């Protein structure tokens, strides 16, 4: 992560503009003044640089949950601040390479990935955790009339696949770092051809982090294209979830979930050979480990009729929409309270992690949504209006419920 250290906090007079960036304001944590956020804009894009005052030094780096691509943007902004700083004691701000300045059109942000699965016009398949990308790249090359979306959280893997997309001249393969468990909740019914989960992390000590779960399997079966009837012969026309793993415990767990479905047709293979071998599979085979496959086919149309969980939006209406004085008063009440609200309901939660202030403007740092797939967000209260920074959370049922609770808190006359 690009960063620089100074011997003491810096006084950057704001607002100012430099290098095509607007440095808007510095917001200070109302409960911890050693933590501050510098709001930066480039066109319609916004992000924060975090200033952390430590004993003997101050660290400047991008706030992780607002980080933009390419990384050259962050390095440019930090370089501007570093050049205006005194007492710099260290940095890793090397000159940007051409690749660090170039935004690949095939790299999708979380919101772009959401829009992509809503509006694609060709058959779409998704691979979760594509790693080296061999399997995903081969699918895209062999099926040029179809679309493919790879989901991965490992940045070097994303960059490696994007380079291959460029070298191979592919125009039907996109990648994103969005959480697959969240995206599955948002895919429209019967709109996904296939879903591939090859060699996922088994998470034996933290099973709630597994890609395959009761909730994700439910949404996969809903999102996959169903067959027209219940005949076994039509399986080849049905969408499927393909799990491939070397971990027998994980395989048995996923199989038990599939067998708990009201209706299930499952193809199981052991030590099957695919046209493309990933580097992980090559490693396991060299160690003579066994490989387990299961293809869980989408149920017939009648079984696939559940709706996706989308109902509402993230607009601030009412008093919050008008930034009435009562809302500002309530925010000040929250700041004055001993602890910020951390509310856990049966199906969702809302944590107000911090409130930052600059004059009469505020930033509210949130963690919200589903317990196993939480989302981070910032609400900006500026120029008499409230909005989420850059883009709202992804519209899962849990996130929407948490948003409504936030509005209730901000409009309440009593501090929760």
């Amino acid at each position: 992560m690009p960063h620089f250290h100074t011997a003491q906090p810096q006084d950057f007079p704001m607002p100012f503009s430099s290098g095509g960036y607007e440095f808007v304001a510095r917001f200070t944590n109302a409960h911890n003044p050693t933590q501050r956020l510098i709001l930066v804009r480039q066109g319609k894009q916004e992000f924060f640089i975090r200033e952390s005052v430590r004993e003997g030094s101050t660290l400047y780096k991008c706030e992780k949950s607002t980080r933009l691509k390419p990384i050259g943007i962050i390095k440019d902004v930090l370089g501007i601040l570093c050049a205006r700083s005194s007492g710099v004691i260290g940095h890793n701000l090397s000159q940007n390479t051409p690749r660090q300045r170039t935004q690949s059109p095939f790299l999708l942000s979380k919101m772009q990935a959401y829009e992509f699965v809503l509006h694609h016009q060709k058959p779409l398949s998704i691979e979760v955790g594509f790693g080296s990308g061999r399997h995903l790249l081969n699918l895209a090359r062999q099926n040029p009339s179809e679309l493919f979306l790879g989901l991965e959280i490992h940045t070097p893997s994303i960059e490696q696949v994007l380079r291959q997309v460029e070298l191979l001249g592919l125009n039907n393969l996109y990648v994103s770092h969005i959480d697959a468990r969240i995206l599955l909740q948002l895919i429209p019914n019967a709109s996904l051809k296939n879903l591939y989960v090859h060699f996922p992390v088994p998470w034996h000590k933290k099973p709630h982090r597994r890609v395959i779960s009761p909730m994700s399997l439910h949404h996969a079966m809903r999102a996959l294209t169903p067959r027209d009837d219940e005949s076994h012969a039509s399986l080849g026309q049905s969408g499927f979830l393909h799990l491939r793993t070397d971990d027998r415990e994980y395989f048995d767990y996923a199989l038990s979930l599939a067998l708990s479905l009201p209706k299930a047709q499952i193809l199981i293979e052991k030590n099957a050979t695919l046209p493309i071998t990933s580097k992980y599979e090559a490693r396991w085979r060299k160690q003579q480990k066994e490989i387990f496959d299961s293809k869980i086919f989408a149920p017939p149309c009648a079984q696939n009729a559940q709706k996706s969980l989308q109902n509402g939006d993230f607009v601030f209406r009412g008093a919050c929409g008008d930034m009435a004085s009562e809302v500002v008063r309530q925010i000040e009440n929250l700041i004055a309270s001993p602890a910020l609200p951390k509310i856990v309901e049966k199906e969702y939660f809302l944590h107000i992690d911090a409130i930052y202030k600059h004059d009469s403007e505020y930033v509210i740092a949130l963690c919200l949504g589903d317990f196993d797939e939480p989302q981070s967000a910032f609400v900006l209260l500026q120029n008499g209006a409230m909005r989420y920074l850059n883009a709202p959370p992804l519209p899962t049922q849990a996130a929407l419920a948490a948003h409504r609770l936030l509005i209730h808190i901000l409009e309440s006359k009593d501090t929760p």
Side-chain angles (χ1 to χ4, degrees), residues 123-125 146 190-194 223-241 265 267 295-301 304:
L124 171 65
S125 295
E146 300 180 12
S191 64
L192 188 63
K193 182 181 177 183
N194 294 318
L224 287 166
T225 304
R227 55 193 181 278
D228 295 329
D229 55 55
E230 300 187 36
S231 68
H232 203 78
S234 66
L235 270 183
Q237 304 302 316
S238 179
F240 57 79
L241 164 61
Q265 289 188 308
L267 174 63
K295 288 185 178 179
I296 308 168
F297 292 87
C301 296
N304 204 29

Side-chain angles (χ1 to χ4, degrees), residues 126-318:
I126 294 176
E127 180 165 356
V128 178
F130 53 76
S132 64
R134 294 179 186 176
H135 176 259
L136 182 61
L137 289 161
N138 183 65
L139 285 174
R141 293 180 67 183
Q142 297 299 320
N143 301 277
S145 62
E146 300 180 12
L147 292 174
F148 296 88
L149 175 62
L151 308 181
E152 179 61 71
I153 62 173
H154 187 232
T155 299
S157 295
I158 291 175
E159 293 174 346
Q160 178 179 335
V161 168
L162 287 174
R163 286 195 293 271
Q164 290 299 312
V165 167
E166 181 181 343
L167 291 172
L168 297 172
L170 299 175
N171 60 10
N172 62 335
L173 171 55
Y174 297 81
V175 300
S176 178
H177 62 279
I178 188 174
D179 189 324
R181 300 169 300 174
I182 295 176
L183 185 63
L184 279 173
Q185 299 180 46
L186 306 174
I187 298 175
N189 290 352
S191 64
L192 188 63
K193 182 181 177 183
N194 294 318
L195 177 65
Y196 300 92
V197 184
H198 288 187
F199 302 100
V201 178
W203 291 112
H204 293 311
K205 295 183 179 180
K206 298 180 179 180
H208 66 280
R209 298 192 65 177
R210 289 173 172 167
V211 172
I212 305 294
S213 69
M215 177 67 77
S216 65
L217 184 59
H218 161 79
H219 285 293
M221 294 298 103
R222 175 190 56 74
L224 287 166
T225 304
R227 55 193 181 278
D228 295 329
D229 55 55
E230 300 187 36
S231 68
H232 203 78
S234 66
L235 270 183
Q237 304 302 316
S238 179
F240 57 79
L241 164 61
H242 182 195
L243 171 65
R244 187 168 176 84
T245 179
D246 64 296
D247 191 287
R248 177 63 185 268
E249 181 182 335
Y250 195 107
F251 176 80
D252 289 342
Y253 165 78
L255 181 60
S256 68
L257 292 182
L259 291 174
S260 69
L261 296 171
K263 283 194 175 183
Q265 289 188 308
I266 308 165
L267 174 63
I268 297 175
E269 295 184 88
K270 180 178 176 180
N271 294 326
T273 301
L274 298 186
I276 294 295
T277 301
S278 73
K279 67 176 185 179
Y280 300 104
E281 182 177 349
R283 183 187 307 163
W284 305 152
R285 289 192 179 278
K286 188 175 182 179
Q287 298 174 7
Q288 296 185 328
K289 296 184 71 172
E290 294 182 321
I291 307 297
F292 304 93
D293 286 87
S294 64
K295 288 185 178 179
I296 308 168
F297 292 87
C301 296
Q303 301 292 323
N304 204 29
Q306 298 121 344
K307 295 181 179 179
S308 57
L309 300 181
Q310 301 174 63
N311 182 23
D313 58 40
F314 289 97
V315 175
F316 290 97
R317 296 185 175 88

